[in-house]
């Protein structure tokens, strides 16, 4: 099978094929697979046992026959950059884990988990070239092997894992757990190795969404082994028959979506029990009885005066269902938390109850039916979280190519455990921890010419409003040009003096981009700017004569004594409030005209503005 996957930086083409036991016609192919693996494992001499005295790369294992093989490439005709193997119980006597533990200990480990040898698959030899490791190929290959195992009926997967480069932590993110007492140093790999196990009925950790989607396409598009050509030197590729299966950019990133269980459904009950038995759950939070009390009193506030009346109303709400089985259990793989919640509509009714009096329930429902796009998740993260809390939008598209760094922690609502994650992922996770039913699509490669149409109109549907908070002049103008063509309103906060920008392209289809501040400048004019030119363009966009004295004084220092634009958490938080207020009014059809407005707190709170005598 050859499937194409679009990641943040690359499109991966994965081919899958099975080599039959002792297949003599596959000997050449097996040799090239072994050479590919050995060359990557040799790692410039780190593991010398994978190179012979004659200088050849060698990784001969009889287990290659009878196994499924998955090869990843950047392009259809490009060289193989990664590989993983999946072995079925048919060759269980040859499993690496069996050899590592010994037959008796291996079967003892399985029995302790309630498993048999005939239902346990082994995945092994996950290798990825250095240049492809940070681009997500390892994630795709591992997910593909897990999807195949599920599709083929595996109840569990087992495998050996190294520890020196964090391979064990990598597998933990897929739901694998270390088997106690199996860690020891292995000379051939020059590192400690341990056994890891995964139950196929449990979620695949951070990557459940990707594994689930791949399970849906396996094995319908597998290719015959005779078509699986790597090339004579295991570094070239012949064309393979391609059955394109496009996966959104979000699939290359760690999970941003919780897994939801309804315990009134038998299938969900089994999956929920398997999850609890897997050891992946670090914390269980069950406040369903308090939530039910909030539900009935939010509907009938007069009940608050009578605890007995509240209990009767809760019992009526349950209708005979046990509290444990009522509503939804939300599993957040990234934190290990399993949380018991009311059903979606009841949860949202209670969660936004305090909005009433400012946003009434019919307006709340209208807002939840809207889709918001946000470009730039530094300043834009405040808008995203404020929108989620206030209920402005039930669906979102987030775009940012950058990852969270230490210097972002002065203004982004994030923790040190988020460092290195794409900013879209950080924001999406936090939003889903506010409301696990939000529909969030992310574009971790940022907004580009290639992803522009998908962002504005593709996926689950077109956006109704754009919040633009990126730093790239070309993207700022190109996004507005596309928004104007589609009649989509745009709001922006500039994080200086409380600047709020509103462009009502939905009402003014001929309105000049950025209020005409750039004159006849086009997007194409902004390609390839130097840093100094970019600064000059951005200053023109925000009106250099109106920026704060502090920002004006800081700009000449950027790149010399200052690393970048100065920004404060207070300004970012204010921007979230300003964009949320503007977006809410626009989406509800309330007055909010185009223009540029300032909520300058220094001016608004100056001594002469005090309302006291």
């Amino acid at each position: 099978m050859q499937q194409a996957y679009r990641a943040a930086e690359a499109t991966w083409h994965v081919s899958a094929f099975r080599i039959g036991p002792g297949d003599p016609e596959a000997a050449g192919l097996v040799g090239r697979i072994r050479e590919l693996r050995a060359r990557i494992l040799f790692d410039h001499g780190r593991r010398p046992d994978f190179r012979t005295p004659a200088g050849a790369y060698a990784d001969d294992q009889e287990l290659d026959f009878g196994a499924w093989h998955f090869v990843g490439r950047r392009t259809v005709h490009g060289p193989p950059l990664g590989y993983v193997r999946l072995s079925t119980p048919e060759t269980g006597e040859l499993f690496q884990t069996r050899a590592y533990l010994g037959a008796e200990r291996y079967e003892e480990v399985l029995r302790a988990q309630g498993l048999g040898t005939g239902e346990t698959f082994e995945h092994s030899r996950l290798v990825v070239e250095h240049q492809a490791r940070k681009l997500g190929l390892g994630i795709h290959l591992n997910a593909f092997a897990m999807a195949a195992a599920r599709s083929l009926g595996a109840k569990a997967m087992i495998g050996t894992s190294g520890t020196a480069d964090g391979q064990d932590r990598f597998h933990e993110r897929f739901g694998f757990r270390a088997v106690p007492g199996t860690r020891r140093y292995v000379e051939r790999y020059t590192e400690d190795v341990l056994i890891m196990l995964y139950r196929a009925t449990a979620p695949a950790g951070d990557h459940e969404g990707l594994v689930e989607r791949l399970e849906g396409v396996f094995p319908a598009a597998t290719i015959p082994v005779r078509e699986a050509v790597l090339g004579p030197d295991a570094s070239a590729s012949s064309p393979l028959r391609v059955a394109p299966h496009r996966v959104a950019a979000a699939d290359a990133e760690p999970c941003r979506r919780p897994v939801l269980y309804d315990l009134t459904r038998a299938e969900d009950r089994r999956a929920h029990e398997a999850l609890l038995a897997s050891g992946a759950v670090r914390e269980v939070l069950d406040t369903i009885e308090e939530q039910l009390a909030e539900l009935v009193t939010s509907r009938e506030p007069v009940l608050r005066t009578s605890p007995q009346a509240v209990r009767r109303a809760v019992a009526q709400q349950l209708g005979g269902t046990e509290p444990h089985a009522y509503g939804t259990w939300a599993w957040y793989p990234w934190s290990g938390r399993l949380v018991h919640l009311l059903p979606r509509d009841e949860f949202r009714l209670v969660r936004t109850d305090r909005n009433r009096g400012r946003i009434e329930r019919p307006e709340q429902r209208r807002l939840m039916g809207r889709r918001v796009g946000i470009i730039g998740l530094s300043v834009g993260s405040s808008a995203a979280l404020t929108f989620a809390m206030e209920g402005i939008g039930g669906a979102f598209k987030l775009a940012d190519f950058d990852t969270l760094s230490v210097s972002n922690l002065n203004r982004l609502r994030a923790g040190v455990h988020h460092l290195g994650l794409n900013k879209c992922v950080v924001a999406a996770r936090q939003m889903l921890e506010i409301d696990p039913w939000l529909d969030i699509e992310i574009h971790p490669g940022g907004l580009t010419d290639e992803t522009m149409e998908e962002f504005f109109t593709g996926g689950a549907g077109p956006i109704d409003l754009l919040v633009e908070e990126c730093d790239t002049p070309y993207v700022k103008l190109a996004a507005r040009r596309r928004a104007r063509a589609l009649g989509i309103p745009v709001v922006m906060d500039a994080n200086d003096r409380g600047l709020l920008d509103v462009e009502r392209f939905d009402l003014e289809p001929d309105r000049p981009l950025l209020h005409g501040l750039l004159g006849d400048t086009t997007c194409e004019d902004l390609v390839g700017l130097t840093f100094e030119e970019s600064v000059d363009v951005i200053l023109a966009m925000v009106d250099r004569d109106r920026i704060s004295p502090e920002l004006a004084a800081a700009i000449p220092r950027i790149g010399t004594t200052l690393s970048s634009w100065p920004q404060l958490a207070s300004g970012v938080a204010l921007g979230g409030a300003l964009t949320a207020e503007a977006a809410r009014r626009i989406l509800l059809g309330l007055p909010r005209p185009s223009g540029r407005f300032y909520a300058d707190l220094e001016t608004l709170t100056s001594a002469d503005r005090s309302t006291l005598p």
Side-chain angles (χ1 to χ4, degrees), residues 232-305:
D233 59 358
S235 63
S237 168
S238 297
L240 291 169
R241 294 181 184 173
V242 182
H245 175 72
R246 183 171 176 175
V247 177
D251 294 330
E253 292 291 318
C255 179
R256 297 150 307 283
R257 188 175 301 280
V259 182
L260 305 179
Y261 300 95
D262 176 357
L263 299 194
T264 63
R265 300 174 61 226
E267 181 181 353
D268 281 15
R269 282 199 304 276
R270 287 192 296 270
H272 182 262
E273 291 167 1
L275 172 65
L276 289 170
S278 71
V281 179
R282 298 175 184 174
E283 186 176 4
V284 177
L285 300 170
D286 187 355
T287 61
I288 195 65
E289 293 183 5
E290 291 86 346
Q291 293 175 49
L292 283 162
E294 276 198 284
L295 172 64
V296 299
T297 54
S298 65
R299 286 173 172 163
E300 299 182 70
V302 295
L303 295 177
R304 295 177 186 273
T305 60

Side-chain angles (χ1 to χ4, degrees), residues 76-325:
V76 176
H77 305 293
L81 297 176
Y83 166 90
V84 70
R85 178 178 63 199
L86 176 69
S87 301
T88 70
E90 181 182 7
T91 55
E93 295 292 324
L94 301 174
F95 279 6
Q96 286 187 168
T97 44
R98 189 183 189 94
Y100 177 91
L101 292 171
E104 185 176 342
R105 173 69 172 134
Y106 171 76
E107 293 180 13
E108 179 185 313
V109 165
L110 295 185
R111 280 196 304 272
Q113 299 291 328
L115 298 168
T117 56
E119 56 198 15
T120 303
F121 288 47
E122 181 183 71
H123 90 311
S124 55
R125 287 300 193 260
L126 175 62
V127 294
V128 179
E129 297 277 17
H130 278 284
Q131 69 267 29
R133 291 179 186 177
K134 291 187 177 181
L135 300 180
L137 178 55
I139 290 173
H140 286 296
L141 287 169
N142 213 50
F144 221 135
M146 294 179 71
R150 285 184 180 180
S151 179
L152 294 168
K155 288 191 176 179
M157 294 178 69
I158 198 167
T160 57
S161 175
T163 58
D165 296 325
Q167 300 100 313
D168 52 335
R169 295 191 298 275
F170 171 87
H171 287 112
E172 283 180 354
R173 288 172 54 202
F174 281 90
F176 280 83
R177 293 294 175 263
V179 176
T182 61
R183 179 168 179 158
R184 71 168 184 265
Y185 183 79
V186 176
E187 183 69 32
R188 179 170 171 78
Y189 300 108
T190 67
E191 63 183 307
D192 280 4
V193 171
L194 49 76
I195 301 297
M196 303 194 77
L197 184 76
Y198 164 74
R199 287 180 172 274
T201 54
D206 288 358
H207 304 290
E208 171 62 23
L210 177 57
V211 173
E212 190 176 66
R213 279 184 284 277
L214 293 178
E215 188 180 355
V217 302
F218 182 91
T222 53
I223 60 172
V225 66
R226 64 181 179 275
E227 297 179 21
V229 182
L230 270 75
D233 59 358
S235 63
S237 168
S238 297
L240 291 169
R241 294 181 184 173
V242 182
H245 175 72
R246 183 171 176 175
V247 177
D251 294 330
E253 292 291 318
C255 179
R256 297 150 307 283
R257 188 175 301 280
V259 182
L260 305 179
Y261 300 95
D262 176 357
L263 299 194
T264 63
R265 300 174 61 226
E267 181 181 353
D268 281 15
R269 282 199 304 276
R270 287 192 296 270
H272 182 262
E273 291 167 1
L275 172 65
L276 289 170
S278 71
V281 179
R282 298 175 184 174
E283 186 176 4
V284 177
L285 300 170
D286 187 355
T287 61
I288 195 65
E289 293 183 5
E290 291 86 346
Q291 293 175 49
L292 283 162
E294 276 198 284
L295 172 64
V296 299
T297 54
S298 65
R299 286 173 172 163
E300 299 182 70
V302 295
L303 295 177
R304 295 177 186 273
T305 60
S306 172
Q308 295 86 353
V310 171
R311 285 194 291 271
R312 285 195 299 271
V314 167
Q316 185 177 6
Q317 180 69 33
L318 286 169
T321 302
E322 287 295 320
H324 179 75

